[in-house]
């Protein structure tokens, strides 16, 4: 028996057009799920849809800004009306701004909190409403090791605060919805090689790998099995957990 099979499951991935979201979307489809790609970059999202369809799974690109309650509600309704149900919600879209706190404008602060925290709330709420009604589902939120530690040398107070809040929001929803058979967990990646990190200055990147006991950044592919575990009935008693995948960064 393949405990990790996602045959007959439907999923969406926010921020699914690129980076971690794209890789995990392909991983979910590779294990049998139909996966909607939810993003603001429709060109890149459509390319991921083609890759998933080539694997023999259903997919669709949905334009949705996770900070818009209307966009989020329309996105979830479209999946339910076209596919009949929503089993797995991967709320993953996020941004990082590296600005010293004394210079960070209030608009910059609000932008990070809006996408990283409010976006996770809005998507979790919309998915949770559907899942409560259908008496089951799995929500996985992308937090970060930055919700546990303060990264150096780069300043990113809004990002760190948003990710710590995502971890606590996840626990709160897990407790509220446990009796509805809706599980809510988060993952906290360490440094993962995507556009978000690879565009950083070389001095930062070499400091990050020096500080990581594993001695390197993770690859997005190395998050797939963590998500498969949380997405699947294999983790039926796991809810409210933050799964840290960081090459032991937060151990020291
Ligand atoms: P990425 O490569 O920049 O991908 C993020 C995706 O989210 C992009 O396609 C982006 O579109 C989309 N997006 C941004 N704002 C959005 C919005 N308002 N609504 C919908 N989609 C939006 O980043 P990543 O590295 O894969 O990061 C994915 C998640 O992992 C984020 O939550 C990040 O904080 C978290 N994370 C990353 C790392 C890391 O080391 N990479 C570590 C820990 C946690 P555009 O590109 O068009 O803006």
């Amino acid at each position: 028996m393949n405990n990790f099979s996602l045959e007959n499951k439907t999923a969406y991935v926010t921020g699914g057009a690129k980076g971690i979201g794209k890789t995990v979307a392909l991983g979910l489809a590779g294990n049998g799920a139909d996966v909607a790609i939810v993003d603001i970059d429709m060109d890149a999202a459509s390319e991921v849809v083609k890759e998933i369809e080539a694997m023999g799974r259903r997919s669709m690109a949905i334009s949705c800004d996770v900070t818009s309650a209307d966009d989020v509600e329309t996105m979830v309704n479209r999946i339910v009306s076209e596919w009949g149900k929503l089993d797995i919600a991967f709320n993953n879209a996020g941004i990082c701004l590296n600005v010293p706190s004394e210079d960070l404008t209030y608009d910059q602060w609000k932008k990070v909190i809006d996408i990283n925290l409010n976006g996770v709330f809005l998507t979790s709420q919309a998915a949770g409403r559907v899942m409560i009604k259908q008496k089951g589902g799995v929500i996985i939120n992308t937090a970060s090791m930055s919700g546990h530690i303060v990264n150096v040398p780069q300043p990113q107070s809004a990002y760190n605060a948003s990710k710590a809040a995502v971890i606590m929001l996840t626990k709160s929803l897990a407790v509220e919805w446990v009796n509805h058979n809706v599980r809510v967990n988060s993952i906290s990646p360490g440094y993962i090689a995507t556009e978000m990190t690879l565009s950083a200055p070389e001095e930062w990147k070499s400091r990050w790998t020096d500080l990581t006991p594993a001695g390197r950044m993770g690859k997005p592919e190395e998050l797939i099995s963590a998500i498969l575990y949380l997405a699947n009935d294999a983790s039926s008693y796991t809810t409210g957990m933050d799964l840290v995948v960081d090459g032991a960064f937060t151990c020291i």
Side-chain angles (χ1 to χ4, degrees):
M1 184 178 142
N2 177 5
N3 273 335
F4 288 83
S5 166
L6 297 175
E7 291 282 335
N8 302 317
K9 302 273 189 195
T10 65
Y12 74 69
V13 176
T14 71
K18 292 183 202 130
I20 291 170
K22 172 182 176 176
T23 302
V24 168
L26 293 172
L28 293 171
N31 281 271
D34 297 325
V35 188
I37 304 302
V38 178
D39 209 288
I40 46 178
D41 183 340
M42 279 302 93
D43 290 341
S46 303
E47 290 305 311
V48 185
V49 166
K50 280 187 210 151
E51 286 191 56
I52 292 174
E53 287 174 342
M55 296 161 93
R57 303 294 163 197
R58 290 183 296 180
S59 187
M60 56 179 132
I62 305 181
S63 174
C64 168
D65 179 340
V66 295
T67 66
S68 157
D70 286 347
D71 276 13
V72 168
E73 199 185 339
T74 305
M75 177 272 286
V76 168
N77 287 344
R78 183 169 158 204
I79 293 169
V80 174
S81 78
E82 292 200 20
W83 290 348
K85 61 179 181 146
L86 172 64
D87 298 303
I88 301 157
F90 183 34
N91 301 321
N92 163 79
I95 60 160
C96 186
L97 292 183
N98 298 122
V99 182
S101 292
E102 65 274 26
D103 299 326
L104 191 71
T105 66
Y106 187 39
D107 281 346
Q108 288 174 319
W109 168 270
K110 284 191 287 192
K111 184 173 182 189
V112 174
I113 298 296
D114 212 17
I115 296 174
N116 293 9
L117 175 59
N118 299 342
V120 169
F121 173 73
L122 289 173
T123 44
S124 293
Q125 184 187 51
R129 284 173 174 159
V130 167
M131 290 172 180
I132 287 170
K133 217 157 131 194
Q134 69 191 17
K135 299 186 170 41
V138 175
I139 296 171
I140 304 162
N141 297 324
T142 302
S144 169
M145 70 172 179
S146 310
H148 298 272
I149 53 91
V150 175
N151 305 67
V152 287
Q154 74 278 22
Q156 49 180 53
S157 60
Y159 183 85
N160 298 345
S162 72
K163 294 300 186 178
V166 166
I167 293 167
M168 198 58 193
L169 170 64
T170 300
K171 289 177 194 288
S172 306
L173 298 177
V175 171
E176 284 192 42
W177 295 343
V178 67
N179 291 325
H180 293 287
N181 194 32
V182 176
R183 295 187 297 108
V184 192
N185 291 291
S186 56
I187 55 157
S188 277
Y191 288 110
I192 305 294
T194 67
E195 236 173 79
M196 183 182 273
T197 47
L198 293 175
S199 57
E202 288 306 319
E203 317 85 79
W204 292 9
K205 286 188 274 189
S206 64
R207 184 89 187 272
W208 298 345
T209 46
D210 286 350
L211 287 167
T212 305
R216 63 173 177 85
M217 282 196 208
K219 297 180 230 149
E221 293 77 12
E222 291 177 290
L223 296 171
I224 293 174
S225 358
I227 300 293
L228 287 180
Y229 166 67
L230 295 174
N232 209 279
D233 293 346
S235 61
S236 52
Y237 198 54
T238 302
T239 192
M241 184 190 67
D242 182 53
L243 180 48
V244 178
V245 185
D246 69 348
F249 191 103
T250 52
C251 295
I252 56 167

